[in-house]
Amino acid sequence: MMINISKAVQLLKENDYFIILSHQNPDGDTLGGAFALFFALRKLGKKVKFECENSIPKKYEFLTDALINDAFDDGYVVAVDVADEKLLGDGLRKKYAGKVCLAVDHHLSHREFSDFTLVENKAAACEIVLSIIEKLGVEIDKQIADCLYVGIATDTGCFRYTNTTENTHLCAAKLIGLGAESGRINTAIFETKTKTYAALERLALSGLEMHFDGRCALMCVTEKMFKESGSDETECDGISALPRQIEGVLVGVTVREKAENEYKISVRTNEPVDACEICAKLGGGGHVRASGCTVKGTLDEVKKIVLDTVKESL
Amino acid sequence: MMINISKAVQLLKENDYFIILSHQNPDGDTLGGAFALFFALRKLGKKVKFECENSIPKKYEFLTDALINDAFDDGYVVAVDVADEKLLGDGLRKKYAGKVCLAVDHHLSHREFSDFTLVENKAAACEIVLSIIEKLGVEIDKQIADCLYVGIATDTGCFRYTNTTENTHLCAAKLIGLGAESGRINTAIFETKTKTYAALERLALSGLEMHFDGRCALMCVTEKMFKESGSDETECDGISALPRQIEGVLVGVTVREKAENEYKISVRTNEPVDACEICAKLGGGGHVRASGCTVKGTLDEVKKIVLDTVKESL
């Protein structure tokens, strides 16, 4: 059942034990939103646990100092920034399939899987979580402000992507006013490349392929490149932005090896191409300028499947 | 004489013929601020001219459709984002030295050269120009909003640098509300690499040097690299950000060949190193995290001079 913010706030007020879930391969928005909600509910005297399929990437660890789960069994399960039950990951799905009470999400491609669903068309789930926390009547402290700022900055490429709105900047201004250390956060998340990531980027870019008269750029990130560079998928947040950056490119594709014969595809587009339409055809989804899906097969098979699908949109 | 915004607004109201100047090698902030003021004064029925030592970089040309100078001789000369008379460039300096009436600037290292000087510690000169235009009582249309957004986005690395404040985001929110096409502007300025720039970046990065146990990264951009890549200095806005991005680097230096035995130095720092202090010792200036200067000598001599100065700050 689709609900609005007031109803979500009422549900959060009515319950006392919460299990908050992020999506697998967590990014700054799912973590920032989940952590902000965690700290806000605890400020209301509620008991809270956080769970995620994967470990938290190193660059977000500074948000987790006070993230200590309370001890209890059953609770009201809330998923933040999870567009589809599948995206909880296999482990959490086994545990929580059919048991999620409330989903808070900003993906228009959201597939309902919870009792109550709050979806708003915002750049980041954290914009919605900020409204929720304000309506809950919780005073937003530096810790919560940092979490929400991380989410908003992450999902907008630090206010660079076309999803950024007037509201996104108003949220950022508010959070900075409440103490969010935006400068330090941006430096850590956007302005710092680890030596291993810098090496991975060079390897991946050296194999960049151009297709369809330069309208599509495709880059592969393989296990071999991870080994050679010392990098891993937790460092890959930013890499999918690169192919789209080249002049004239409408569709930037990153093909990342996930397991044997299984590849994670990231699609980033420029106007007028719809990334979500491309990924939906391959069983995924996301946003109009940034979407993802998983495709099985050998690398060559996967590339052909993806390029054939991209071609239909050009 | 240092003045406040109200006095600057009074001076602009009192005069009818304006010559607006940007600094040499213009960036988005000096151009956005000058153009916004140009369009605002024209909306008040004043006659306006714009002058700059160099031609306008291609990526800012979309702001200049309505930028047609009125025909008149003498006028009230206003410099926007010009921290030092020298930065007008040799040609404009010959013409306007000692004749600048009002300077609007955000560089704390500003060296007074005009009758009236308005300096405020903001991330971008365009934040100040926005206040001026509001106080002038001019309705900000899409054209003016686009110009001001360009300046604010440029000087903050699209809200990424530590100079970005609550006010910066409030200005951005306001400008987007007034019609600034932020998404399209960001894509054009930040998310698009020309093929020639991408080639220059690869050449420059391949010669990146690490000094002082990895605390300083230095990169050279030579005439030979410009020729080989087909790029030129108008595309170099973003390149100086690269050396500082590497993990552990406190001082990122870019040495760019300007003429025979003359090099433009860009210094970008991370906390706690003061970039302005380093450049001031070499006759330049700027901001605490981003400054510049010009050093004469052979490439090897220049590198030694700069590195010796950096060393003192580490």
Side-chain angles (χ1 to χ4, degrees):
Chain A
M1 177 188 178
M2 300 297 287
I3 59 167
N4 63 15
I5 284 197
S6 304
K7 177 68 181 169
V9 168
Q10 184 202 323
L11 292 168
L12 294 171
K13 281 187 175 165
E14 281 170 6
N15 287 279
D16 293 311
Y17 293 85
F18 289 92
I19 298 165
I20 303 177
L21 309 179
S22 279
H23 65 66
Q24 63 183 356
N25 306 319
D27 58 19
D29 194 30
T30 193
L31 293 175
F35 296 170
L37 198 57
F38 181 104
F39 295 130
L41 291 169
R42 182 165 278 168
K43 280 187 118 181
L44 289 175
K46 318 246 180 207
K47 299 291 178 194
V48 208
K49 281 204 287 200
F50 166 78
E51 285 188 61
C52 179
E53 182 81 13
N54 310 96
S55 58
I56 293 165
K58 214 175 148 195
K59 64 179 164 185
Y60 302 120
E61 277 178 4
F62 73 98
L63 296 174
T64 62
D65 285 349
L67 196 88
I68 296 152
N69 283 346
D70 288 312
F72 58 88
D73 292 326
D74 291 339
Y76 194 82
V77 183
V78 183
V80 178
D81 193 39
V82 180
D84 187 314
E85 202 170 61
K86 280 192 296 189
L87 299 176
L88 288 172
D90 289 342
L92 281 200
R93 210 178 161 193
K94 270 181 199 145
K95 216 166 152 185
Y96 293 113
K99 293 181 187 165
V100 177
C101 308
L102 171 63
V104 176
D105 188 26
H106 67 124
H107 295 85
L108 292 185
S109 62
H110 185 95
R111 293 184 179 207
E112 283 192 64
F113 62 90
S114 53
D115 301 340
F116 298 98
T117 307
L118 171 61
V119 176
E120 290 198 354
N121 185 18
K122 302 284 188 209
C126 279
E127 289 185 48
I128 310 169
V129 176
L130 171 56
S131 296
I132 291 175
I133 292 176
E134 287 181 319
K135 287 215 169 80
L136 271 173
V138 175
E139 193 192 341
I140 296 178
D141 55 21
K142 179 189 177 301
Q143 187 174 48
I144 294 175
D146 276 345
C147 293
L148 293 173
Y149 181 87
V150 163
I152 290 173
T154 303
D155 262 25
T156 59
C158 207
F159 310 97
R160 194 173 281 204
Y161 302 156
T162 51
N163 60 355
T164 307
T165 65
E166 184 179 357
N167 187 62
T168 314
H169 282 290
L170 287 176
C171 290
K174 193 180 283 180
L175 295 169
I176 291 171
L178 290 165
E181 281 194 271
S182 55
R184 193 167 291 210
I185 291 170
N186 294 341
T187 301
I189 299 187
F190 299 107
E191 282 291 307
T192 308
K193 290 180 186 177
T194 61
K195 284 159 195 158
T196 49
Y197 173 77
L200 179 69
E201 205 179 75
R202 272 198 297 274
L203 288 171
L205 278 176
S206 71
L208 188 92
E209 306 169 9
M210 302 299 285
H211 297 273
F212 313 128
D213 299 324
R215 288 175 296 162
C216 174
L218 182 144
M219 186 174 83
C220 297
V221 179
T222 62
E223 269 306 316
K224 190 164 166 273
M225 291 179 187
F226 279 133
K227 268 181 206 140
E228 217 172 298
S229 62
S231 182
D232 60 40
E233 58 171 9
T234 66
E235 296 191 324
C236 279
D237 265 18
I239 207 159
S240 345
L242 304 178
R244 186 181 53 182
Q245 284 175 345
I246 296 159
E247 198 181 9
V249 167
L250 295 177
V251 185
V253 178
T254 308
V255 177
R256 196 167 88 209
E257 194 168 356
K258 213 174 144 185
E260 216 190 317
N261 290 330
E262 189 176 338
Y263 292 85
K264 167 97 180 64
I265 314 298
S266 288
V267 176
R268 302 289 179 95
T269 59
N270 281 319
E271 277 186 344
V273 185
D274 185 338
C276 192
E277 185 186 295
I278 294 169
C279 290
K281 286 181 186 166
L282 299 169
H287 306 281
V288 60
R289 295 280 157 265
S291 285
C293 56
T294 299
V295 180
K296 291 187 179 182
T298 66
L299 181 55
D300 282 342
E301 285 164 1
V302 168
K303 273 163 61 173
K304 189 177 178 318
I305 290 168
V306 175
L307 286 171
D308 285 347
T309 314
V310 167
K311 199 178 176 184
E312 292 166 18
S313 291
L314 283 175
Chain B
M1 175 187 181
M2 300 297 287
I3 58 168
N4 62 17
I5 284 197
S6 305
K7 177 69 181 167
V9 168
Q10 185 203 320
L11 293 168
L12 293 172
K13 280 188 176 165
E14 281 170 6
N15 288 279
D16 293 311
Y17 293 84
F18 289 92
I19 298 165
I20 303 177
L21 309 179
S22 279
H23 65 66
Q24 64 183 354
N25 305 320
D27 58 18
D29 195 29
T30 193
L31 293 176
F35 297 170
L37 198 57
F38 181 104
F39 296 130
L41 291 169
R42 182 163 278 170
K43 280 187 117 179
L44 289 174
K46 318 240 180 214
K47 299 291 176 195
V48 208
K49 281 203 286 199
F50 167 78
E51 286 189 61
C52 180
E53 181 81 12
N54 311 95
S55 59
I56 292 165
K58 213 175 147 196
K59 63 180 164 184
Y60 302 120
E61 278 178 4
F62 73 99
L63 296 175
T64 62
D65 285 349
L67 197 88
I68 297 153
N69 283 347
D70 288 312
F72 58 89
D73 291 327
D74 289 339
Y76 194 82
V77 183
V78 183
V80 178
D81 193 39
V82 180
D84 188 316
E85 202 171 60
K86 280 193 296 189
L87 299 176
L88 288 173
D90 289 341
L92 282 200
R93 210 178 161 193
K94 270 182 202 145
K95 213 164 153 186
Y96 293 112
K99 294 182 186 164
V100 177
C101 309
L102 171 63
V104 177
D105 189 26
H106 68 124
H107 295 85
L108 292 185
S109 63
H110 185 95
R111 292 183 179 207
E112 283 191 64
F113 61 90
S114 52
D115 301 341
F116 298 98
T117 308
L118 170 61
V119 176
E120 290 199 354
N121 185 17
K122 302 284 188 211
C126 279
E127 289 185 48
I128 310 169
V129 177
L130 171 56
S131 295
I132 291 176
I133 293 176
E134 287 181 320
K135 287 214 169 79
L136 273 174
V138 175
E139 193 192 342
I140 296 177
D141 54 20
K142 179 189 176 302
Q143 186 174 48
I144 294 175
D146 275 345
C147 292
L148 294 172
Y149 181 87
V150 163
I152 290 173
T154 303
D155 261 24
T156 59
C158 207
F159 311 96
R160 195 174 280 203
Y161 301 157
T162 52
N163 60 356
T164 308
T165 64
E166 184 179 355
N167 187 62
T168 315
H169 281 289
L170 287 177
C171 291
K174 192 181 282 180
L175 295 169
I176 292 171
L178 291 164
E181 281 194 272
S182 55
R184 193 169 291 209
I185 291 170
N186 294 341
T187 301
I189 299 186
F190 300 107
E191 283 290 307
T192 308
K193 290 181 186 176
T194 60
K195 284 159 197 161
T196 49
Y197 173 77
L200 179 69
E201 205 180 77
R202 272 197 297 274
L203 287 171
L205 278 176
S206 71
L208 187 92
E209 306 170 8
M210 302 298 286
H211 297 274
F212 312 128
D213 299 324
R215 287 175 297 162
C216 174
L218 182 144
M219 185 173 82
C220 298
V221 179
T222 61
E223 270 306 318
K224 190 163 165 274
M225 291 179 188
F226 280 133
K227 268 180 207 141
E228 216 170 299
S229 61
S231 182
D232 60 41
E233 60 173 8
T234 65
E235 296 191 325
C236 279
D237 264 18
I239 206 158
S240 347
L242 304 178
R244 186 180 56 181
Q245 284 176 346
I246 295 158
E247 197 180 11
V249 167
L250 294 177
V251 185
V253 179
T254 308
V255 177
R256 196 168 87 208
E257 195 168 355
K258 211 175 144 185
E260 215 190 317
N261 290 330
E262 189 176 339
Y263 292 85
K264 166 96 179 67
I265 315 296
S266 289
V267 176
R268 303 289 179 94
T269 59
N270 281 319
E271 276 185 344
V273 185
D274 187 337
C276 192
E277 187 186 294
I278 294 170
C279 290
K281 286 181 187 167
L282 298 169
H287 306 281
V288 61
R289 296 278 160 265
S291 286
C293 56
T294 300
V295 180
K296 291 186 179 183
T298 66
L299 183 54
D300 282 343
E301 286 164 2
V302 169
K303 273 162 62 171
K304 190 178 177 316
I305 291 168
V306 175
L307 286 171
D308 284 348
T309 315
V310 167
K311 199 179 176 183
E312 291 166 18
S313 291
L314 282 174

